């Protein structure tokens, strides 16, 4: 998915969070968004998703203005853990995944996705019993179930142990190698072995984008 | 308050008295759909909404009584119709206020509840103060429901079941994760609006069975018990409905045998089930924990 952010300024009430941000992303790119807490990383992503309402002509998804964009099904979004989901009520991994299916997908394909993310054996578990890392994988499968062209991950490895962080990024790298564009919000870029193509660093609402030479890891 | 003289056992009395059959049937229908709706209400953290709407319905009932008894508007055959209208108006006000106070959505509940309670008090006093009708509205009178009410209740139940059946997946996504639902292109606002209207309808209809003050308990308590032991979403709803039906049957039976108020007994049985579940769950969790600790100790040795 192609993304163009053109001179984006956004704020809540009287506070400006993002100031004149501009960057472009092509299909298959892997963008890391870095910055301190409160630098506007999640705000930026929520603007792209249409959750934060922005003025017209500032964000384009596949050349369509986000204010007119209807195909958000093309974007798989994995929010920060404990963000919006109601966890206490019993629901199984399968129930979460199946309720989110909006496109034709066979049972085999679902099982394959679960297996790929290493949570095949957890499909009938209540989500209350899962660890942070396992839960994160459930949300990734949920975001992949509708075959998105772009995957947005907001701090996906918070609370996940080191070994699983490595495995996690291997999977993300291979999804990216399959052609899915990825946007990863992270506060610690050194920790990850993700194969970025671009890094956008946000500081006090202002952003600088850099291209990164890609490694072979996929 | 019970109109029964318990000369025969409950089961035989069911064959003998049609009003008792109506009561049981109405209770069972209600017991089936209230926790079904209640589950979605609990997940969306709107447990207080049923209480708010029931107080607003009471305003409708009181206005109805005032119009019928004091002003003599006899064309209003049953104040329950006004309760339904009031409940829907209350639901609409809640939705409007929830949009107005976006970050303090729950503030809409006490505002609507206060308005409902104030209007109720006003019209109760205007229509001659506290009487049997008001008592029945507050605490329910399941034993006096007739076939007309049973028909309305059955139609509502079919409507609720059909909506849940056809929109099950969407309801689950919206309840658990509203922003994800929006991303999937689901019209969340429209769904919320319709479900609030349905909720308003069910709340106002429940008044005849357990009364204004006990309506929310029918909706919330079986769900509160079931969510502590449910293994999946469907399983939790199934258990909640089971608990709810048990409390309807048990409550009616007990109220018949002991000659006590039926609505209150149903709710008390509901609470009793909740307590039993909480205690058993607590004991079970403790045992599991001590088993784990023993295993770890053995492992450490």
């Amino acid at each position: 998915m192609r993304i163009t952010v053109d001179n984006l300024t956004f704020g809540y009430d009287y506070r400006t969070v993002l100031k004149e941000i501009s960057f472009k992303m092509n299909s298959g790119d892997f963008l890391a968004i870095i910055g301190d807490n409160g630098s506007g990383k999640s705000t930026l992503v929520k603007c792209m998703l249409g959750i934060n309402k922005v003025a017209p002509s500032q964000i384009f998804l596949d050349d369509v203005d986000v204010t007119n964009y209807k195909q958000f099904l093309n974007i798989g979004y994995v929010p920060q853990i404990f963000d919006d989901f109601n966890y206490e009520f019993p629901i199984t991994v399968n129930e979460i995944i199946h309720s989110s299916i909006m496109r034709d997908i066979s049972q085999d394909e679902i099982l394959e996705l679960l297996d790929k993310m290493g949570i095949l054996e957890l499909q009938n578990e209540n989500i209350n019993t899962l660890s942070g890392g396992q839960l994160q994988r459930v949300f990734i499968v949920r975001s992949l179930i509708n075959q998105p062209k772009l995957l947005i991950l907001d701090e996906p490895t918070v609370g996940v142990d080191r070994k699983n962080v490595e495995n996690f990024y291997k999977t993300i790298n291979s999804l990216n190698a399959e052609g899915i564009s990825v946007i990863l919000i992270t506060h610690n870029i050194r920790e990850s072995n993700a194969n970025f193509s671009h890094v956008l660093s946000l500081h006090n609402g202002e952003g600088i984008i850099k291209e990164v030479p890609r490694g072979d890891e996929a | 308050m019970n109109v029964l003289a318990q000369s025969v056992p409950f089961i035989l009395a069911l064959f003998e008295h049609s009003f008792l059959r109506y009561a049981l049937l109405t209770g069972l229908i209600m017991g089936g759909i209230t926790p079904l709706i209640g589950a979605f209400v609990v997940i969306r953290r709107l447990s207080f909404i049923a209480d708010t709407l029931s107080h607003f319905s009471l305003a409708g009932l009181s206005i109805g009584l005032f119009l019928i008894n004091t002003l003599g508007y006899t064309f209003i055959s049953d104040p329950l119709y006004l309760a339904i209208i009031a409940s829907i108006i209350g639901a609409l006000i809640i939705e409007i206020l929830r949009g107005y106070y976006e970050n303090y959505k729950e503030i809409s509940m006490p505002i609507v509840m206060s308005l409902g309670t104030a209007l109720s008090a006003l019209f109760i006093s205007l229509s001659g103060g506290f009487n049997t009708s008001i008592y029945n509205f507050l605490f329910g009178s399941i034993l006096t429901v007739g076939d007309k009410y049973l028909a309305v209740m059955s139609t509502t139940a079919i409507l609720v079941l059909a909506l849940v059946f056809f929109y099950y997946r969407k309801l689950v996504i919206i309840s658990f994760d509203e922003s994800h639902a929006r991303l999937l292109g689901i019209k969340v606002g429209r769904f919320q609006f319709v479900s609030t209207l349905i909720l308003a309808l069910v709340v106002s209809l429940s008044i005849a069975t357990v009364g204004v003050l006990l309506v929310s308990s029918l909706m919330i308590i079986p769900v509160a018990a079931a969510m502590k032991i449910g293994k999946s979403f469907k399983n939790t709803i199934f258990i909640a409905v089971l608990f709810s039906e048990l409390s309807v049957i048990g409550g009616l039976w007990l109220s018949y045998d002991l000659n006590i108020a039926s609505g209150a007994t149903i709710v008390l049985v509901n609470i009793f089930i909740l307590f039993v579940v909480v205690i058993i769950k607590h004991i079970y969790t403790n045992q599991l924990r001590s088993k784990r600790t023993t295993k770890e100790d053995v492992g450490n040795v």
Side-chain angles (χ1 to χ4, degrees):
Chain A
M1 178 181 271
R2 280 185 312 283
I3 296 169
T4 308
V5 175
D6 186 20
N7 225 0
L8 168 69
T9 297
F10 181 83
Y12 301 107
D13 293 331
Y14 301 106
R15 193 167 62 91
T16 308
V17 182
L18 300 168
K19 292 174 205 154
E20 296 165 10
I21 307 275
S22 293
F23 67 89
K24 276 189 179 178
M25 230 183 121
N26 285 317
S27 295
D29 279 356
F30 191 153
L31 173 74
I33 304 179
I34 57 169
D36 299 332
N37 287 341
S39 59
K41 302 185 296 276
S42 300
T43 302
L44 172 59
V45 159
K46 283 180 180 170
C47 289
M48 290 181 197
L49 290 165
I51 297 172
N52 290 337
K53 303 288 174 215
V54 298
S57 305
Q58 294 191 309
I59 298 174
F60 296 88
L61 306 173
D62 276 339
D63 304 323
V64 179
D65 195 312
V66 74
T67 53
N68 294 320
Y69 195 74
K70 300 273 183 277
Q71 299 299 315
F72 285 103
L73 210 54
N74 286 326
I75 306 176
Y77 172 49
V78 184
Q80 271 185 46
I81 225 157
F82 305 123
D83 224 20
D84 292 317
F85 201 85
N86 289 327
Y87 290 93
E88 218 181 316
F89 204 95
I91 187 165
T92 64
V93 172
N94 254 342
E95 284 177 317
I96 291 180
I97 308 276
H98 278 88
S99 63
S100 293
I101 297 172
M102 293 285 156
R103 284 181 177 159
D104 278 342
I105 185 164
S106 69
Q107 185 59 28
D108 284 348
E109 283 174 286
I110 297 171
L111 293 177
E112 202 183 307
L113 265 177
L114 287 166
D115 192 29
K116 197 174 187 174
M117 295 308 302
I119 51 168
L120 186 62
E121 72 283 5
L122 299 178
Q123 53 178 314
N124 293 318
E125 292 293 319
N126 184 346
I127 57 154
N128 295 334
T129 61
L130 305 187
S131 71
Q134 289 169 330
L135 206 51
Q136 201 58 265
R137 280 155 194 266
V138 174
F139 286 118
I140 291 172
V141 172
R142 185 181 76 164
S143 67
L144 292 173
I145 211 88
N146 293 313
Q147 297 129 22
K149 294 200 256 175
L150 167 70
L151 185 60
I152 298 179
L153 307 157
D154 193 349
E155 305 261 14
T157 51
V158 172
V160 182
D161 61 68
R162 210 185 170 83
K163 184 173 158 276
N164 280 320
V165 168
E166 271 183 33
N167 286 335
F168 172 79
Y169 282 117
K170 265 187 196 160
T171 318
I172 299 301
N173 288 343
S174 73
L175 288 171
N176 181 231
E178 284 170 21
I180 299 176
S181 309
V182 181
I183 294 178
L184 170 77
I185 295 180
T186 176
H187 65 282
N188 187 358
I189 199 167
R190 287 182 198 87
E191 183 196 72
S192 74
N193 52 322
N195 199 10
F196 310 123
S197 61
H198 297 79
V199 174
L200 173 71
S201 39
L202 288 179
H203 185 65
N204 287 337
E206 291 175 26
I208 302 160
I209 189 144
K210 274 185 196 158
E211 199 166 333
V212 188
R214 285 224 189 187
D216 297 329
E217 192 182 350
Chain B
M1 207 199 270
N2 204 321
V3 292
L4 276 179
Q6 62 282 39
S7 50
V8 285
F10 181 69
I11 304 277
L12 291 180
L14 274 177
F15 290 101
E16 237 170 69
H17 307 292
S18 63
F19 70 90
L20 204 53
R21 281 199 299 277
Y22 280 135
L24 185 64
L25 212 54
T26 310
L28 288 176
I29 294 172
M30 186 127 274
I33 56 167
T34 44
L36 186 63
I37 297 178
F40 293 103
V41 169
V42 168
I43 305 168
R44 288 180 60 205
R45 299 181 197 284
L46 287 174
S47 301
F48 208 45
I49 200 170
D51 240 347
T52 308
L53 290 178
S54 68
H55 280 75
F56 215 79
S57 307
L58 182 64
L61 287 169
S62 325
I63 293 170
L65 280 185
F66 171 72
L67 292 176
I68 299 166
N69 295 346
T70 313
L71 300 184
Y73 290 163
T74 41
F75 63 91
I76 306 165
S77 56
D78 193 334
L80 191 66
Y81 297 126
L82 282 163
I84 296 173
I85 296 169
S87 187
I88 289 172
I89 293 173
L92 294 179
I93 301 177
I94 291 175
E95 284 300 315
I96 293 168
L97 288 175
R98 271 164 65 81
Y100 193 63
Y101 292 99
E102 214 161 304
N103 293 318
Y104 296 93
K105 287 183 194 282
E106 74 283 358
I107 218 169
S108 57
M109 312 276 183
I111 296 174
V112 174
M113 196 188 229
S114 317
L115 178 61
T117 316
L119 286 175
S120 310
L122 185 68
F123 282 96
I124 287 171
S125 70
L126 284 176
S127 45
F130 221 73
N131 55 35
T132 320
S133 315
I134 299 290
Y135 180 91
N136 284 343
F137 293 153
L138 288 178
F139 299 106
S141 56
I142 194 167
L143 297 175
T144 58
V145 298
D147 51 356
K148 201 171 73 183
Y149 177 82
L150 184 61
V152 177
M153 200 62 232
S154 312
T155 317
T156 310
I158 291 168
L159 177 72
V160 171
L161 289 175
L163 284 175
V164 173
F165 181 77
F166 287 115
Y167 296 106
Y168 175 76
R169 283 195 309 126
K170 287 182 178 172
L171 284 171
V172 172
I173 311 174
I174 294 171
S175 313
F176 276 92
D177 196 341
E178 217 176 283
S179 21
H180 183 63
R182 284 181 208 279
L183 214 56
L184 293 179
I186 298 169
K187 306 259 181 280
V188 175
R190 198 181 294 172
F191 263 92
Q192 275 168 351
F193 182 69
V194 174
S195 39
T196 313
L197 287 188
I198 298 284
L199 181 70
L201 181 64
V202 173
V203 164
S204 51
L205 288 177
S206 315
I207 288 175
T209 53
V210 284
V212 170
L213 300 175
L214 306 173
V215 162
S216 73
S217 54
L218 265 194
M219 216 165 254
I220 308 301
I221 296 167
V223 180
M227 67 187 276
K228 284 290 157 203
I229 50 173
K231 297 275 179 252
S232 68
F233 184 68
K234 277 186 183 158
N235 173 250
T236 306
I237 289 187
F238 177 77
I239 297 172
V241 172
L242 190 73
F243 283 166
S244 172
E245 300 292 28
L246 273 177
S247 66
V248 167
I249 299 169
L252 270 180
W253 195 319
L254 268 177
S255 76
Y256 173 81
D257 274 356
L258 304 173
N259 200 16
I260 49 177
S262 331
T265 317
I266 292 174
V267 173
L268 285 175
V269 175
N270 239 326
I271 301 231
F272 175 74
I273 294 174
L274 173 69
F275 270 119
V276 172
V277 167
V278 169
I279 290 167
I280 291 177
K281 168 93 181 179
H282 185 73
I283 295 170
Y284 177 73
T285 319
N286 274 352
Q287 271 181 352
L288 215 67
R289 208 173 286 156
S290 65
K291 260 187 201 166
R292 261 191 223 140
T293 326
T294 327
K295 263 189 194 167
E296 274 167 25
D297 285 346
V298 173
N300 288 339
V301 172

